[in-house]
Amino acid sequence: MIYISKFLPVRHFISIIILFCSGIVSAAVPRVYIESPQNGALVQSPVEIVFGLDGMELAPAGTYAPDTGHHHLIIDNNLPDLGMPIPSNKNHLHFGKAQDRVLLDLEPGMHTLQLLLGDGSHIPHQPPLISEKIAIT
């Protein structure tokens, strides 16, 4: 039996429980993002791209521990097939040593950047962890 004091009405007690639980749930939701540069930034080569990851741990390729992965940067391209290993080419850069940043030489002009977290075999997690696509010039 839950004892509720006359000083804490039931509706306030329920509100406190909801707030407490929502904080736990929101903190546990993993996300991947581009920390820097910001969307719309004017940059000069070489440009440092800083990756962010919340709710999971970075780990080198070949690591299969739960809640781990490594970054893949998609440059000027769409997402690959999310059920297959992420390609490795000039538009899909792999950071299999668990790096959290890269210094890129980009040609002048507009470029799009997007992160996709991959597991130990470079396959996107399910559900996939994908950053917003940003554009830089």
Side-chain angles (χ1 to χ4, degrees), residues 2-21:
I2 298 175
Y3 174 75
I4 309 273
S5 149
K6 66 180 178 180
F7 302 107
L8 184 62
V10 172
R11 66 176 186 205
H12 292 300
F13 179 76
I14 292 171
S15 297
I16 290 168
I17 296 298
I18 290 170
L19 287 173
F20 178 77
C21 291

Side-chain angles (χ1 to χ4, degrees), residues 64-127:
Y64 299 98
D67 300 322
T68 64
H70 62 277
H71 293 294
H72 297 81
L73 181 63
I74 302 167
I75 304 170
D76 298 330
N77 212 321
N78 294 320
L79 290 171
D81 181 341
L82 299 176
M84 300 293 292
I86 301 162
S88 181
N89 55 44
K90 68 178 186 159
N91 298 103
H92 301 86
L93 303 183
H94 288 238
F95 297 93
K97 294 180 182 174
Q99 304 97 308
D100 66 355
R101 64 195 65 222
V102 65
L103 198 58
L104 286 180
D105 283 312
L106 294 172
E107 296 292 324
M110 190 187 92
H111 298 279
T112 60
L113 304 172
Q114 190 169 29
L115 286 173
L116 175 58
L117 201 72
D119 69 9
S121 297
H122 307 283
I123 297 173
H125 291 81
Q126 293 302 321

Side-chain angles (χ1 to χ4, degrees), residues 36-53:
S36 170
Q38 299 296 311
N39 189 31
L42 297 175
V43 299
Q44 195 170 6
S45 276
V47 59
E48 183 179 43
I49 314 299
V50 180
F51 315 141
L53 178 63

